Amino acid sequence: MIWKEQVECVDPSDLKNLQSDYLRKLIAYIYNNCPVYKEKIDDAGLRPEDIKSIDDIKKLPFTTKVDMRDNYPYGLFSADQDKVREIHVSSGTTGNPTLVGYTKDDMKLWSEVMARTLCCAGAEPGDTIQNAYGYGLFTGGLGFHYGAMEMGLRIIPTSAGQTARQLKIMQEFKPRIIVCTPSYALYMAEEAREMGIDTSKGNWKIGIFGAEPWSDSIRREIEELWNMLATDVYGLSEIIGPGVAQECTYKDGLHIFSDVFYPEIIDPETGEEVAEGQDGELVITTLTKQAIPLIRYRTRDVVSINHEKCRCGRTSPRISKIKGRTDDMIVVRGINVFPSQIEHVLVGIEGTQPYYQIVVDRKAHKLDEVEVLVEVEEKIFSDEIKELKELENKIRKEIGSVLSIGVKVTLVEPKTIERSMGKSKRIIDKRTL
Ligand code: DLL
């Protein structure tokens, strides 16, 4: 089932007309209603009439997280605050948080793209969904709630946390769909095992996991533990929350709802578009939002894009799984390190758990040091010291050869690394740069 077939399976030239029409209206709207954007457009030497088709988008200036912070809280809004019906705050850790808002029509749009998301993952009206994304200022919980409501699902709004209760509810109310962060799915399975619950036996068939990076190896692990199809959902508060892109049951890229969220993939250094299939930074323009529409927003997320029609019938472009963030990357002794590279090594090594933390430190003018804390399985920890050392060495060598820098590896006991019900923290950077 495809929720909005007329746009998701649209002919690409019709899509372009629709996007062009939306873009023209959007530019006139923000130019007349948001002084910050008016100034940005004026500074670029443009007039709204210069934007005739979606191809003209390249003439427009980018919007960045710095613009959001500099104009905090309301400067980037195009709608008056009395038209705003709900606000959310993004999970940033530095400086001012990022505030976003929704008018009544934006709420309708969000519900619709979330219904499209759920449907894309294989949900059907009448299904029961357990929503273990956090409810509150984070967009995950309420975003899924509105979408499920729109699609006619039966919602169990557990929010994140209270894991024992969460698992009990799951067994008793038998949801067919479970949604949460991938790290919480792993954590719940771990808790279940301790409680003597077999998560591979249940009514659940589909999981929709996102809000943080996760690899295909973690996907396989979750699919095995939960005996379900694990799909990836992508989104960010600034654009709308979850509901920007979603994998269909073929799991061959995330369909981006490009009739409303126009994607570009650029080289983060030059700002120029990269060729199809090449990695680059995802930039999104919200074509139809009212409260706080964004023009060419730099997401910092690294992906590639594929415009081929999918086997599911959708013509919407597909982005790859998020490969990293341009700002999550740590530079250690001049080498770029992404947490995903380390994760990739660890999942291939028997005896390790998918829990790790990367600690970067610089002691008094010395070189940066990287320590990777890796949790190992219970049975490994009871092995002889010699075997533990061998495992440590193996991990150290493999990470070293992938990253081209030496790292220290420390094996830690099961459950030492903090578990997360929401987004997990992989990097601890202790350097004072
Ligand atoms: O995380 C929205 C969301 C909620 C998405 C629930 C999916 C499910 P923010 O808190 O603003 O919004 O964080 C957005 O999280 O720029 C990415 O770096 C990261 N992210 C989101 N989804 C994925 C994903 C929500 N599927 C930031 N894979 C984004 C990797 C993701 N990273």
Side-chain angles (χ1 to χ4, degrees):
M1 181 182 175
I2 297 179
W3 192 251
K4 208 174 174 190
E5 202 165 340
Q6 69 274 30
V7 285
E8 296 201 10
C9 302
V10 66
D11 185 85
S13 64
D14 290 340
L15 177 65
K16 208 168 163 178
N17 288 338
L18 184 69
Q19 291 165 330
S20 299
D21 188 33
Y22 283 154
L23 184 67
R24 280 191 298 270
K25 290 187 182 132
L26 173 72
I27 299 305
Y29 172 66
I30 58 169
Y31 192 82
N32 293 323
N33 292 286
C34 177
V36 176
Y37 264 129
K38 179 175 184 303
E39 196 180 324
K40 270 171 98 71
I41 293 171
D42 286 343
D43 286 351
L46 291 167
R47 306 273 312 151
E49 309 78 78
D50 296 330
I51 306 301
K52 297 189 175 68
S53 93
I54 194 74
D55 296 330
D56 294 324
I57 202 164
K58 293 188 184 64
K59 298 178 184 164
L60 291 161
F62 291 117
T63 307
T64 64
K65 191 99 182 168
V66 175
D67 293 312
M68 302 283 297
R69 296 215 167 115
D70 286 354
N71 296 292
Y72 177 83
Y74 301 127
L76 274 181
F77 277 70
S78 290
D80 290 338
Q81 288 306 312
D82 64 358
K83 295 276 182 310
V84 174
R85 292 286 167 272
E86 187 163 317
I87 55 171
H88 282 268
V89 171
S90 120
S91 49
T93 47
T94 47
N96 276 335
T98 308
L99 176 85
V100 294
Y102 306 74
T103 62
K104 200 168 175 189
D105 282 346
D106 292 338
M107 297 300 293
K108 264 196 218 145
L109 174 70
W110 196 14
S111 304
E112 182 196 299
V113 286
M114 281 310 297
R116 287 166 69 178
T117 296
L118 287 156
C119 203
C120 193
E124 285 167 19
D127 279 345
T128 299
I129 178 174
Q130 184 150 338
N131 185 2
Y133 281 109
Y135 278 64
L137 286 173
F138 174 55
T139 51
L142 283 167
F144 271 90
H145 192 96
Y146 297 137
M149 192 76 101
E150 177 75 15
M151 228 203 125
L153 307 188
R154 188 168 161 259
I155 311 165
I156 315 176
T158 48
S159 190
Q162 300 202 47
T163 308
R165 182 157 171 244
Q166 186 100 242
L167 288 161
K168 189 165 178 288
I169 287 174
M170 213 174 268
Q171 288 181 303
E172 291 173 356
F173 302 163
K174 305 193 186 318
R176 185 169 167 262
I177 303 159
I178 295 176
V179 300
C180 62
T181 59
S183 48
Y184 194 42
L186 285 174
Y187 176 58
M188 278 198 281
E190 190 179 62
E191 288 290 294
R193 199 164 42 237
E194 292 200 350
M195 291 165 63
I197 300 170
D198 182 357
T199 45
S200 73
K201 296 202 176 70
N203 205 52
W204 36 87
K205 297 279 177 301
I206 300 169
I208 308 181
F209 306 113
E212 63 179 2
W214 57 305
S215 58
D216 274 325
S217 333
I218 298 284
R219 186 208 303 273
R220 279 192 290 278
E221 183 136 2
I222 293 179
E223 290 194 325
E224 209 168 289
L225 286 168
W226 287 91
N227 190 17
M228 61 158 56
L229 174 84
T231 66
D232 194 355
V233 56
Y234 170 77
L236 60 165
S237 324
E238 295 90 318
I239 297 303
I240 201 152
V244 175
Q246 167 67 41
E247 276 178 340
C248 67
T249 51
Y250 289 99
K251 300 184 288 188
D252 192 11
L254 288 81
H255 290 274
I256 179 156
F257 303 128
S258 62
D259 51 308
V260 281
F261 304 125
Y262 184 76
E264 295 170 84
I265 316 294
I266 62 156
D267 177 330
E269 302 292 324
T270 63
E272 294 298 318
E273 192 167 6
V274 301
E276 170 112 359
Q278 297 290 305
D279 288 351
E281 180 180 339
L282 174 64
V283 170
I284 303 178
T285 300
T286 62
L287 294 173
T288 59
K289 264 175 52 179
Q290 295 176 341
I292 177 164
L294 295 179
I295 304 289
R296 306 191 82 198
Y297 184 67
R298 306 269 306 243
T299 66
R300 304 274 162 205
D301 293 316
V302 178
V303 298
S304 59
I305 199 161
N306 172 4
H307 281 87
E308 276 167 35
K309 183 175 173 181
C310 179
R311 280 172 287 168
C312 71
R314 289 178 179 81
T315 49
S316 42
R318 281 166 285 158
I319 52 169
S320 63
K321 271 178 102 54
I322 311 302
K323 299 181 181 178
R325 277 183 67 79
T326 54
D327 55 1
D328 188 29
M329 179 185 85
I330 38 174
V331 183
V332 181
R333 290 180 239 155
I335 306 266
N336 298 347
V337 175
F338 286 101
S340 58
Q341 294 171 295
I342 293 179
E343 179 173 311
H344 194 71
V345 169
L346 293 180
V347 287
I349 297 182
E350 182 121 5
T352 62
Q353 298 272 34
Y355 298 105
Y356 62 94
Q357 225 158 27
I358 304 161
V359 185
V360 194
D361 206 354
R362 176 181 299 163
K363 299 214 174 80
H365 307 299
K366 290 216 179 114
L367 281 179
D368 292 347
E369 285 170 10
V370 181
E371 180 180 15
V372 185
L373 305 176
V374 183
E375 233 180 74
V376 289
E377 289 169 6
E378 189 81 58
K379 62 176 180 345
I380 303 269
F381 226 83
S382 51
D383 283 352
E384 306 240 328
I385 298 277
K386 185 171 148 265
E387 283 155 21
L388 284 172
K389 278 281 158 227
E390 272 168 17
L391 180 61
E392 227 169 61
N393 275 337
K394 183 172 173 176
I395 300 174
R396 191 172 47 76
K397 276 193 196 135
E398 290 200 20
I399 294 180
S401 76
V402 170
L403 302 183
S404 317
I405 47 168
V407 298
K408 181 177 173 207
V409 170
T410 306
L411 302 184
V412 296
E413 286 185 55
K415 298 210 150 183
T416 322
I417 291 172
E418 198 187 333
R419 300 297 190 255
S420 158
M421 322 257 170
K423 300 181 192 239
S424 42
K425 189 165 167 55
R426 301 288 195 203
I427 302 177
I428 299 180
D429 200 337
K430 295 183 171 167
R431 295 173 295 185
T432 36
L433 298 174

